[in-house]
Amino acid sequence: MDILGQDIKYLPGVGPQRKKMLSNELGIETYGDLLEYYPYKYVDRSKVYTIHELTGEMPYVQVVGHILSFETFPMGPRKERVVAHFTDGTAICDLTWFNGGKYAKQNYRIGTKYLVFGKPTVFNNRINFTHPDLDDAAKVDITTMGLQPYYNTTEKMKKSGLNSRAIERLTKTLIEKLPTLPETLPDFIIAERHLMGRDEAFRIVHYPQNAKDLERARVRLKFEELFYIQLNILRYASDQRRKYRGYVFSVVGNAFNTFYSQYLPFPLTGAQKRVIREIRKDTGSGRQMNRLLQGDVGSGKTLVALMSMLIAIDNGYQACIMAPTEILAEQHLQTIMAFLKDMDIRVALLTGIVKGKRRKEVLDGLLDGTIHILVGTHAVIEDTVQFARLGFVVVDEQHRFGVAQRAKLWSKSTNPPHVLVMTATPIPRTLAMTLYGDLDVSVIDELPPGRKPVKTTHVFDARMTSLYDGIRQQINEGRQVYIVFPLIEESEKSDLKNLEDGFEVLKQVFPEFRLSKVHGKMKPKDKEDEMQRFVSGETQILVATTVIEVGVNVPNASVMVILEAQRFGLSQLHQLRGRVGRGADQSFCILVTPYKLSEDTRKRIDIMCDTNDGFRIAEADLKLRGPGDLEGTQQSGMAFDLKIADIARDGQLVQMARDTAQPIIEEDPECHSDKYAILWKRLRELRKTNINWGVIS
């Protein structure tokens, strides 16, 4: 048996009780799990300070000296504070124990030379170390101490004695026990990428002598982690391409050409033309298309999707567009029908509210092929929905649909249809390569002509009166306004109360205007009616929660006020801002926050005020929040358990891993070559672990 698979309870110092704690709190079950439980920071133990040099602002430091005397201060029944007065000849400092003082008095000797390590603070005008580490200076060789690792632990663990030092000791025991670990990368990759060996990297990452070695060890371990993810994604994508033939759309015919020459509402941007060419090439190639279309809110993705669906219709196939909500599905339907005007193309809607006779008509029309385009929600993937010849599928806002749902669409057809996945949440390239590694990526990076960028400003909530005046002025000029309250979780009662109370306050502030109110707790019909009143211009102010984040299109709305903006993520703020700026007028987004903000929140607000570029915002969001928190990645099961790499900060390594994996898959798509045997063996081992590889693609 591989030693890394050995049960952790057999490691000296662990045993059944500690094994239970390590397993429950950190998921550490085996030697390998402990080896891959990496330190989160390191403290330099190679430098010794004098007490005279210390200040209360310094990080962890060490000093060498001896204890002069002990003093004990009672702290209530059976509790005491023990203080040791300590000197190195330059000054005196205090070592303090609130717990374990009895142990300190019994075990540390006055006059013996100790190496003290801890965080200096100032108390009673004297440097103080609380609960420091003490080592006998005669038994420590400072020149070999290097950097001390620090491991994250939980409160529960600390209470039972499993703190960072305890984890460090267990890791040390493990590393001393381990034989030389086998290599998991071929020599040519190690040489080509100037990587450290695997065995050396594991030993150094836990016990580095210096920062340079540590950096090289971390690069090696990060690269390997990212490389196997990329290798697996590319292998999966290559399999799909070989396995599934795509329908060949050989002609661009009457439907496309008629629309292009007679019905196109405005000239296409260069970016839209480029994306249509890419889709055209894919659908004519004989392989099944899987393409991700990224484009900011309002960049014209729906028009590109429609023109691609017309190519499918020209080749005798049906098309389908799937949206995450009923409101968005209905909006797509209206948009598509407005684009097509009186063209001889039948478009139908299928959502949960299409019932009875209407539903039967839709199902019959799909089965006999008389419906050309179906617009719907996930009702589309129900078993009762069958197509005559489904050839092209558009999935809007992919992150709201799981992979299993996408796969269900494939089963509606003898060959899988071509798939175009659209998202208005721009995804940084490094994340797209990992989350959507099996999809080719197209980007619409131009806005249609005549669009003015939205002006974003930050206002403190103490200045609401002047904000109300600005809103009044905009409405008097004929515009409409969104005011958004932060109901992030639909279950938060206090938020709902804030919205209800806020709505009443706003009615009093603006008695001369009509207001609509929308939130996720309302019945779909009531929500639809309220939205409709705003869309038609009957109401001037829409008070809402984030239910309007996706897809509401009101060109006359020019002001977006986001209350308590500090509670929203960057992607969400950007999505909400995208609801305005859809007409020719200058639009405004006002972020309202209290005065007291954390450092991260201030950065988020500043980024929003500085740029309208969704990709810059997504990059910043990834850096601030990490990949697991990004809009949608968690709920669709795509956040995967990276032990040491960080997609946000290791973008270059992600690219390097992909560039290394790509030619290997091209050369050995069947994964049989002896040249790469070490890789396929390792990939099989990893696929047995708890990483859910299936959802990565």
Side-chain angles (χ1 to χ4, degrees):
M1 181 187 168
D2 170 21
I3 189 163
L4 294 183
Q6 177 78 273
D7 191 322
I8 195 72
K9 75 178 174 203
Y10 298 117
L11 185 71
V14 179
Q17 285 307 106
R18 279 188 153 186
K19 144 99 196 237
K20 198 175 167 193
M21 180 70 74
L22 287 167
S23 170
N24 291 348
E25 296 296 298
L26 302 177
I28 293 174
E29 305 267 352
T30 64
Y31 286 9
D33 292 339
L34 181 60
L35 195 61
E36 289 190 339
Y37 192 67
Y38 299 109
Y40 71 95
K41 71 169 185 180
Y42 301 84
V43 171
D44 188 355
R45 296 289 305 259
S46 60
K47 180 172 169 52
V48 175
Y49 289 83
T50 63
I51 296 172
H52 179 69
E53 290 176 88
L54 301 182
T55 68
E57 281 71 56
M58 291 169 93
Y60 283 79
V61 296
Q62 50 194 4
V63 293
V64 173
H66 60 272
I67 295 171
L68 296 168
S69 61
F70 282 101
E71 212 174 335
T72 304
F73 300 90
M75 287 175 60
R78 298 211 306 275
K79 285 201 101 177
E80 58 182 22
R81 172 166 62 99
V82 172
V83 177
H85 304 299
F86 185 88
T87 183
D88 64 353
T90 68
I92 292 173
C93 69
D94 289 339
L95 316 180
T96 303
W97 290 270
F98 292 97
N99 300 313
K102 194 173 165 193
Y103 174 91
K105 281 190 293 189
Q106 283 170 356
N107 289 277
Y108 300 134
R109 305 266 169 266
I110 290 172
T112 300
K113 207 170 186 190
Y114 289 109
L115 175 72
V116 170
F117 175 74
K119 167 90 180 73
T121 54
V122 175
F123 181 68
N124 284 345
N125 291 326
R126 190 184 272 188
I127 290 291
N128 180 63
F129 290 93
T130 304
H131 295 151
D133 289 339
L134 271 75
D135 291 294
D136 188 335
K139 294 178 184 168
V140 176
D141 178 1
I142 292 204
T143 59
T144 64
M145 286 190 80
L147 302 172
Q148 179 169 346
Y150 273 73
Y151 299 85
N152 271 317
T153 57
T154 64
E155 282 309 311
K156 209 169 177 184
M157 290 173 72
K158 285 176 191 148
K159 280 187 183 132
S160 69
L162 267 175
N163 57 10
S164 173
R165 277 305 283 272
I167 300 283
E168 185 195 337
R169 286 187 201 105
L170 293 177
T171 309
K172 191 168 189 168
T173 306
L174 173 63
I175 283 174
E176 285 164 359
K177 253 179 98 74
L178 286 179
T180 303
L181 294 171
E183 194 44 79
T184 45
L185 290 175
D187 294 344
F188 77 90
I189 291 182
I190 292 173
E192 207 176 89
R193 297 300 183 188
H194 309 291
L195 298 171
M196 183 182 269
R198 179 176 182 239
D199 182 77
E200 190 186 5
F202 269 126
R203 292 171 196 275
I204 287 177
V205 83
H206 291 287
Y207 286 96
Q209 285 304 301
N210 56 59
K212 196 173 165 206
D213 285 352
L214 172 63
E215 184 50 30
R216 286 196 60 221
R218 284 172 62 81
V219 164
R220 157 62 208 242
L221 296 168
K222 286 177 177 188
F223 174 83
E224 176 170 339
E225 192 167 51
L226 295 166
F227 169 76
Y228 276 106
I229 285 176
Q230 292 300 332
L231 188 69
N232 191 64
I233 288 169
L234 292 167
R235 180 201 61 79
Y236 171 85
S238 157
D239 274 1
Q240 298 297 95
R241 287 193 186 113
R242 286 200 327 276
K243 205 183 295 178
Y244 297 113
R245 306 302 301 150
Y247 294 120
V248 179
F249 295 173
S250 52
V251 298
V252 174
N254 186 40
F256 184 94
N257 290 325
T258 304
F259 179 79
Y260 189 75
S261 57
Q262 296 174 32
Y263 293 91
L264 197 64
F266 41 75
L268 296 174
T269 62
Q272 285 174 313
K273 287 179 181 169
R274 184 185 69 238
V275 173
I276 291 170
R277 277 197 302 273
E278 288 167 352
I279 292 169
R280 171 85 196 90
K281 191 176 165 201
D282 280 356
T283 53
S285 70
R287 69 179 181 84
Q288 188 239 350
M289 176 181 86
N290 269 308
R291 190 167 278 284
L292 173 69
L293 175 56
Q294 293 190 322
D296 239 331
V297 174
S299 60
K301 294 185 297 296
T302 310
L303 184 58
V304 167
L306 172 62
M307 292 175 78
S308 308
M309 291 193 280
L310 293 176
I311 297 174
I313 293 165
D314 277 336
N315 286 273
Y317 293 93
Q318 292 161 296
C320 156
I321 181 164
M322 194 157 94
T325 64
E326 290 183 354
I327 289 172
L328 194 50
E330 287 181 27
Q331 204 139 20
H332 276 315
L333 180 80
Q334 285 158 11
T335 306
I336 287 169
M337 289 175 81
F339 276 144
L340 293 172
K341 296 194 172 71
D342 55 3
M343 279 181 72
D344 187 19
I345 287 173
R346 190 171 164 207
V347 186
L349 177 74
L350 189 65
T351 64
I353 52 177
V354 177
K355 291 194 166 65
K357 191 173 163 218
R358 257 182 80 203
R359 189 180 182 83
K360 186 174 181 327
E361 279 170 13
V362 172
L363 296 180
D364 291 347
L366 291 172
L367 206 47
D368 65 20
T370 53
I371 290 177
H372 302 103
I373 296 175
L374 178 69
V375 182
T377 54
H378 50 263
V380 168
I381 59 178
E382 288 167 11
D383 295 338
T384 50
V385 182
Q386 296 297 327
F387 293 80
R389 285 187 93 194
L390 178 63
F392 196 93
V393 172
V394 180
V395 182
D396 195 15
E397 289 303 332
Q398 143 73 11
H399 63 258
R400 290 156 191 259
F401 293 108
V403 179
Q405 289 170 307
R406 213 168 50 174
K408 269 193 110 167
L409 271 170
W410 287 22
S411 63
K412 307 248 174 230
S413 208
T414 42
N415 277 8
H418 297 295
V419 176
L420 181 68
V421 169
M422 301 197 301
T423 179
T425 310
I427 302 155
R429 283 197 67 255
T430 51
L431 195 57
M433 276 193 295
T434 311
L435 291 185
Y436 302 113
D438 63 322
L439 303 181
D440 299 310
V441 180
S442 292
V443 179
I444 301 184
D445 46 14
E446 283 174 74
L447 284 180
R451 285 275 174 95
K452 293 191 179 105
V454 178
K455 281 186 183 162
T456 305
T457 49
H458 178 202
V459 171
F460 292 117
D461 52 15
R463 306 207 36 219
M464 290 303 281
T465 313
S466 60
L467 175 59
Y468 292 150
D469 291 343
I471 289 173
R472 195 169 273 113
Q473 187 185 336
Q474 283 288 311
I475 298 175
N476 286 332
E477 286 173 19
R479 317 267 192 279
Q480 285 166 282
V481 176
Y482 294 101
I483 298 179
V484 176
F485 280 78
L487 179 61
I488 311 288
E489 293 294 331
E490 290 295 345
S491 57
E492 287 188 20
K493 288 198 175 79
S494 60
D495 278 350
L496 204 51
K497 187 168 174 2
N498 288 348
L499 175 102
E500 303 285 2
D501 293 350
F503 184 69
E504 293 307 318
V505 169
L506 289 165
K507 281 203 315 204
Q508 287 163 18
V509 173
F510 300 111
E512 70 272 43
F513 301 133
R514 287 192 297 279
L515 285 74
S516 288
K517 174 177 65 177
V518 176
H519 56 78
K521 285 282 188 200
M522 291 164 73
K523 290 187 177 128
K525 170 101 180 64
D526 297 345
K527 200 167 21 178
E528 194 54 49
D529 291 348
E530 286 291 283
M531 284 277 203
Q532 228 31 68
R533 288 175 65 211
F534 186 66
V535 171
S536 66
E538 187 192 325
T539 55
Q540 290 81 41
I541 298 174
L542 176 62
V543 180
T545 62
T546 52
V547 291
I548 58 155
E549 176 190 349
V550 174
V552 183
N553 187 11
V554 184
N556 190 47
S558 66
V559 181
M560 166 64 70
V561 178
I562 304 173
L563 301 173
E564 290 189 59
Q566 77 281 4
R567 289 180 56 190
F568 295 86
L570 264 175
S571 292
Q572 217 171 14
L573 289 172
H574 182 61
Q575 285 277 342
L576 287 166
R577 175 167 64 186
R579 299 298 112 226
V580 294
R582 296 174 157 250
D585 302 315
Q586 176 62 59
S587 289
F588 305 90
C589 175
I590 292 107
L591 307 175
V592 182
T593 71
Y595 193 74
K596 232 180 134 176
L597 295 174
S598 73
E599 181 72 17
D600 267 5
T601 305
R602 214 168 273 281
K603 274 189 202 153
R604 277 211 302 272
I605 303 288
D606 289 349
I607 290 160
M608 285 298 295
C609 295
D610 288 348
T611 182
N612 281 292
D613 179 340
F615 284 92
R616 267 188 65 196
I617 287 167
E619 288 285 358
D621 203 16
L622 189 56
K623 285 202 169 77
L624 285 171
R625 293 164 61 187
D629 296 339
L630 266 193
E631 182 67 34
T633 55
Q634 278 183 329
Q635 58 264 46
S636 52
M638 292 183 204
F640 27 81
D641 183 17
L642 291 173
K643 301 270 180 22
I644 190 166
D646 177 334
I647 290 173
R649 293 175 180 83
D650 297 323
Q652 279 177 303
L653 278 176
V654 175
Q655 187 67 59
M656 188 163 106
R658 195 172 182 87
D659 292 347
T660 309
Q662 188 89 51
I664 294 169
I665 291 292
E666 283 166 10
E667 190 184 323
D668 185 17
E670 303 271 349
C671 310
H672 289 331
S673 164
D674 289 346
K675 180 181 173 185
Y676 303 121
I678 187 173
L679 297 179
W680 309 133
K681 177 175 178 279
R682 180 66 178 151
L683 200 54
R684 279 194 300 276
E685 287 167 6
L686 287 168
R687 288 172 69 83
K688 285 180 195 154
T689 63
N690 58 1
I691 297 177
N692 189 349
W693 292 93
V695 299
I696 290 176
S697 303

